[in-house]
Amino acid sequence: MITLRNVEKVYPLKGGVFYALRNINLTIKEGEFVSIMGPSGSGKSTLLHILGLHDSAWNGEFDLLGQPVHKLDKKKRFELQKKHIGFVFQSYHLLDDLTVYENLEIPLSYRDMPKKERESVVCDVLDRFAIVGKKDLYPNQLSGGQQQLVGVARALVAKPSLILADEPTGNLHSDQGREIMQLFKKLNSEGTTIIQVTHSAENATYGSRVIRLADGMMVV
Ligand code: ADP
Ligand code: ADP
């Protein structure tokens, strides 16, 4: 599903450059559940944003679902992203001028789905995440944990084949965090490929493999 060859991310620095990622070679097969771990600043979020097609300023080669991302134009990358990827942002990135319901409807708008069906899919997800009562509120009327739940719900509402999650339980109580991990595990058993960035050893036990980063490099 994913192959990275010699991927690097470089930032210009006064008097030189800084490698946020260096020499990343990586294959992730369809159906895997992978955890990316490593100290703060080691490049985890940078790698996840590249995998999620949110960052296109890097060097190297990246094949995703048989497509050479490094050769695609912006429009093709956007289509690939909207069709196949659900992304949970560390800082939620909900749209502030849309309600919870409307935020959840967005990923479905990229699918050919009649309004009635969109309604029923969004209602199912609101139900599953126990946030039905919040559906007409705006993100700034929610607690951090509730915003995180909406962020996770938005990532999976359109049933993407790949879910990328940056610390998806960082702001949740441990029982809520476990529920999210169990949900990921279930989706994974149904075939969804999942890649999470996590500091939590407990969260990593839900996955089948750990990729460790240190100073922008993969370590074994
Ligand atoms: P953590 O992994 O601890 O949750 P983040 O992934 O948010 O933290 O950020 C890791 C480090 O990268 C932090 O030290 C942060 O200040 C730094 N950082 C993040 N974005 C930028 C940026 N655009 N420019 C400079 N530093 C950044
Ligand atoms: P992690 O998620 O592992 O905490 P990040 O991927 O957020 O780490 O950051 C990796 C490194 O890249 C950090 O050292 C961070 O300071 C650096 N970095 C991130 N964004 C920028 C930026 N815009 N300019 C310079 N350095 C950056």
Side-chain angles (χ1 to χ4, degrees), residues 166-183:
D166 200 348
E167 295 283 0
T169 67
N171 237 316
L172 300 177
H173 291 293
S174 50
D175 49 340
Q176 271 179 323
R178 265 179 226 118
E179 274 178 45
I180 296 296
M181 283 299 114
Q182 272 153 14
L183 177 58

Side-chain angles (χ1 to χ4, degrees), residues 53 74-84:
L53 313 183
K74 202 173 169 178
K75 182 165 178 281
K76 286 264 159 53
R77 282 200 310 270
F78 184 80
E79 284 168 10
L80 194 61
Q81 181 188 55
K82 294 307 165 202
K83 193 155 177 226
H84 298 289

Side-chain angles (χ1 to χ4, degrees), residues 22-23 33 50 64 107 110 112 146-147:
R22 196 197 295 253
N23 198 27
F33 186 162
I50 291 173
L64 174 64
Y110 299 108
D112 276 330
Q146 288 164 343
Q147 291 182 49

Side-chain angles (χ1 to χ4, degrees), residues 9-13 18-21 36-49 90 166-167 197 199 213 215-216:
K9 171 83 186 179
V10 191
Y11 288 109
L13 262 191
F18 172 78
Y19 284 85
L21 290 174
I36 301 174
M37 302 186 81
S40 224
S42 59
K44 306 180 298 294
S45 294
T46 303
L47 178 58
L48 203 72
H49 279 80
Q90 187 171 27
D166 200 348
E167 295 283 0
V197 164
H199 282 115
L213 292 179
D215 296 326

